[in-house]
Amino acid sequence: MKDGEPTRPQLRYLEDFKAGDRISSGSFEVTAELIRSFAELYDPQPMHIDEEAARQTIFGELVGSGWQTLAITMRLLVDARLLGGTPIVGAEFANLRFHRPIRPGDSLKATAEVLQTRPSRSRNDRGFMDLQVTTTNQHDETVLTQAWTLIVPTRAAVHN
């Protein structure tokens, strides 16, 4: 590596993780403009795009789409280098629960806790890691919870 070149994050393998490991992200600021622009593209409902119309909904104000909350959570965990330099490849996402909507001014953070790891029964170059992912706002209130199962390479993948 030459001076001044950024260092590449280390690849992490299934064997590098154990139950109880926690990876926490930085924060992500939610703005009204961001809520509206996401909704205009992906979820154009009144509570996401029009403040006046949003007042007439069960939320009583502009709120972000649940799909946006999911996308922000993914961004937070990618930026946190959840798997170091290894790409995040999902096999399953389950038990998704929206606890409260995101609002303009919210600052979101995500945490992933390793529940278990297990090698693949059919491929020695990979395994699976189960995570509990929690997204919170600036008041440490839970916004979103979900279970992820990721496909993670094993050290054997280096030798294949």
Side-chain angles (χ1 to χ4, degrees), residues 123-135:
R123 307 264 320 247
N124 75 338
D125 66 340
R126 66 191 68 174
F128 300 95
M129 182 164 59
D130 296 327
L131 301 168
Q132 178 63 39
V133 175
T134 303
T135 307

Side-chain angles (χ1 to χ4, degrees), residues 1 13 87 101 119 139 141 156:
M1 177 175 31
Y13 300 94
H139 305 294
E141 297 169 324

Side-chain angles (χ1 to χ4, degrees), residues 14-22 113-117 129:
L14 190 69
E15 298 86 352
D16 297 330
F17 297 93
K18 65 183 181 319
D21 287 351
R22 294 173 65 89
E113 180 178 355
V114 177
L115 301 177
Q116 71 172 346
T117 62
M129 182 164 59

Side-chain angles (χ1 to χ4, degrees), residues 52 54 56 61 70 73 78 87 91 101 103 115 126:
E52 182 61 38
Q56 308 307 314
E61 65 183 315
L70 289 164
T73 299
V78 167
R103 294 177 162 83
L115 301 177
R126 66 191 68 174

